[in-house]
Amino acid sequence: MDILTVFVAAILVNNFVLYYFLGICPFLGVSKKIDSAFSMGMAVTFVMTLTAVASWMINHWILIPFGLDYLQIVSFILVIASLVQLVEMFIRKMSPPLYQALGIYLPLITTNCAIMGLALLAALKDYNFIKTVVFGVGSGLGFTLAIVLMAGIREQLDLADVPKPLKGAGIALIVAGIMALAFSGFSGMIK
Amino acid sequence: MPPKKSIGAEYLKGLWDENPVFRQLLGMCPTLAVTNAVINGIAMGLATAFVLILSSLVVSSIKKLIPNQVRIATFIVIIASFVTIADRFLAAFFPPISKALGPYVPLIVVNCIILGRQEAFSSKNSVGRSLLDAFGMSTGFILALLILSSIREILGSGTFLGFQVMGSWFKPWVIMILPAGAFITLGVLLGIAILIESKTKTRST
């Protein structure tokens, strides 16, 4: 039951984009088309799950036993950077169209705060291994949900008559605000 | 490379022309997350400034020693070291602020402004210019955080830095301190920034 709570909370209640404000850059940058938003979401989910596993192992098997927890930031970022590199090489070999679609945003996952935030939040909440993995998958899916919804709205927004200064990022942020408002309705689900 | 700017312009560009938040849309995550109260915004801005200035100093001084292929990794390790210092410092001397900012202090490490400036500027320019650039960008960032957090705190809690500024008739707009308020306020501010920019452009031409 506890694990289900973590999962639902990560997707809906404490959504990474709309509650923690993590991963705003890709959220605004790759949300113009639904299909590229979806691939971005999948890439992030994949990297997040791997990161959750790797950061938990490093934290609990190396940093904590040796009293090195002040090295958390440095070691997490290095793990994430090498993971992203691996995923990038993997996707380039396995699916060149996907690689093309993700473009510059794949390397940028390294500096995507959502990934680093996941590692830090999981360490902060002191989750056990299973919960950390569930948290990773849930957060990734939550990110995918938010970015795909956003892309759907923005595709329609192209046809709308938006005041000129608000075109682009301005209106996208306001839409995100309304989405965050809608998502805050979920907060009653978890005590 | 664009022609060398004057010393003053190198600093001032961070305030408006290349303001990291309003013009370059970098560092949005901390901007949105910690601006529910002015004090958090200032603390975040100062911590980011500390990391940015010292990272720029180190990167620009050792730029000739860094092999091109591993430069990003090198920058990240340098930045991460300074972030660790900032994080430990806040936790030791300002525990309440450190608690309020939570994971967002360690997250300075993935703030795009810092890595962006190292890659785009410090790794190609002299130490002095990099420092000016870093100071300018930091000022611009703090300014943006200050504007956003003032609006949100005054409208959301009726206070400024914890002091009551609105009369008792004022009913706080709770939405402003919720995540939704952050997105909407920043969206409107971006619109205003672009509006001002387009107005000044048409006047000068």
Side-chain angles (χ1 to χ4, degrees):
Chain A
M1 207 49 217
D2 220 19
I3 289 172
L4 190 68
T5 314
V6 170
F7 189 65
V8 174
I11 298 182
L12 293 177
V13 184
N14 298 340
N15 186 288
F16 257 53
V17 177
L18 301 170
Y19 181 83
Y20 285 122
F21 303 108
L22 298 170
I24 303 288
C25 308
F27 179 67
L28 294 178
V30 200
S31 59
K32 292 205 178 84
K33 285 255 154 23
I34 292 183
D35 42 350
S36 57
F38 186 73
S39 353
M40 183 69 193
M42 284 294 112
V44 167
T45 310
F46 184 56
V47 178
M48 268 189 168
T49 313
L50 291 179
T51 307
V53 174
S55 65
W56 190 90
M57 287 179 185
I58 289 185
N59 204 19
H60 285 258
W61 291 347
I62 303 175
L63 296 181
I64 292 178
F66 292 101
L68 293 173
D69 45 349
Y70 62 90
L71 284 179
Q72 233 176 31
I73 301 174
V74 181
S75 42
F76 282 179
I77 191 80
L78 286 178
V79 170
I80 293 167
S82 21
L83 266 179
V84 171
Q85 197 79 57
L86 266 178
V87 171
E88 192 188 344
M89 292 192 293
F90 183 77
I91 295 183
R92 184 155 46 180
K93 274 267 177 281
M94 302 306 287
S95 166
L98 181 60
Y99 182 77
Q100 286 292 322
L102 292 178
I104 181 150
Y105 281 94
L106 197 60
L108 276 182
I109 292 183
T110 315
T111 49
N112 181 340
C113 5
I115 312 282
M116 184 70 183
L118 173 91
L120 288 166
L121 281 170
L124 201 72
K125 294 184 175 180
D126 213 13
Y127 282 154
N128 61 25
F129 183 69
I130 309 278
K131 271 193 197 167
T132 305
V133 175
V134 170
F135 183 56
V137 179
S139 303
L141 291 178
F143 178 83
T144 312
L145 178 68
I147 197 172
V148 169
L149 285 177
M150 186 71 182
I153 296 174
R154 282 184 87 171
E155 281 189 357
Q156 300 298 314
L157 217 55
D158 280 345
L159 307 169
D161 186 19
V162 179
K164 210 170 157 226
L166 283 177
K167 278 223 165 81
I171 194 72
L173 279 167
I174 293 174
V175 169
I178 297 168
M179 274 170 71
L181 205 57
F183 268 68
S184 68
F186 288 118
S187 60
M189 281 170 70
I190 309 285
K191 276 196 214 88
Chain B
M1 203 198 292
K4 285 256 184 271
K5 291 194 174 88
S6 74
I7 304 291
E10 205 73 85
Y11 174 73
L12 287 175
K13 70 171 196 277
L15 298 190
W16 180 253
D17 283 343
E18 294 181 23
N19 185 296
V21 176
F22 294 136
R23 309 309 306 277
Q24 302 190 60
L25 302 183
L26 292 178
M28 303 298 258
C29 313
T31 310
L32 291 163
V34 303
T35 47
N36 49 5
V38 177
I39 185 77
N40 294 347
I42 295 178
M44 186 67 194
L46 289 179
T48 310
F50 167 82
V51 175
L52 177 56
I53 292 167
L54 286 177
S55 309
S56 286
L57 175 68
V58 172
V59 167
S60 57
S61 359
I62 63 167
K63 58 178 180 288
K64 292 215 172 68
L65 300 174
I66 305 175
N68 203 32
Q69 298 87 335
V70 294
R71 66 180 194 288
I72 304 279
T74 318
F75 298 161
I76 287 181
V77 173
I78 294 171
I79 296 168
S81 319
F82 287 118
V83 172
T84 308
I85 298 175
D87 183 38
R88 296 277 132 173
F89 178 82
L90 279 177
F93 293 100
F94 303 98
I97 292 181
S98 170
K99 256 221 154 61
L101 295 180
Y104 294 103
V105 179
L107 280 175
I108 295 175
V109 79
V110 281
N111 188 324
C112 341
I113 298 174
I114 300 180
L115 190 64
R117 285 337 277 171
Q118 308 315 325
E119 169 75 5
F121 203 89
S122 301
S123 55
K124 294 174 192 139
N125 286 281
S126 68
V127 177
R129 276 181 181 276
S130 306
L131 276 180
L132 274 176
D133 175 74
F135 270 104
M137 289 294 156
S138 310
T139 322
F141 184 60
I142 294 175
L143 213 62
L145 287 180
L146 206 58
I147 296 175
L148 191 58
S149 59
S150 308
I151 297 177
R152 287 184 67 195
E153 193 181 331
I154 291 174
L155 293 180
S157 335
T159 57
F160 184 77
L161 277 172
F163 297 106
Q164 195 72 32
V165 286
M166 296 299 236
S168 50
W169 50 267
F170 181 72
K171 205 156 173 7
W173 305 1
V174 180
I175 181 183
M176 293 306 276
I177 46 175
L178 292 178
F183 281 116
I184 294 173
T185 316
L186 187 60
V188 172
L189 283 177
L190 276 181
I192 295 174
I194 295 171
L195 193 66
I196 295 174
E197 178 68 13
S198 63
K199 281 274 184 316
T200 46
K201 275 270 165 57
T202 42
R203 205 180 305 145
S204 58
T205 47

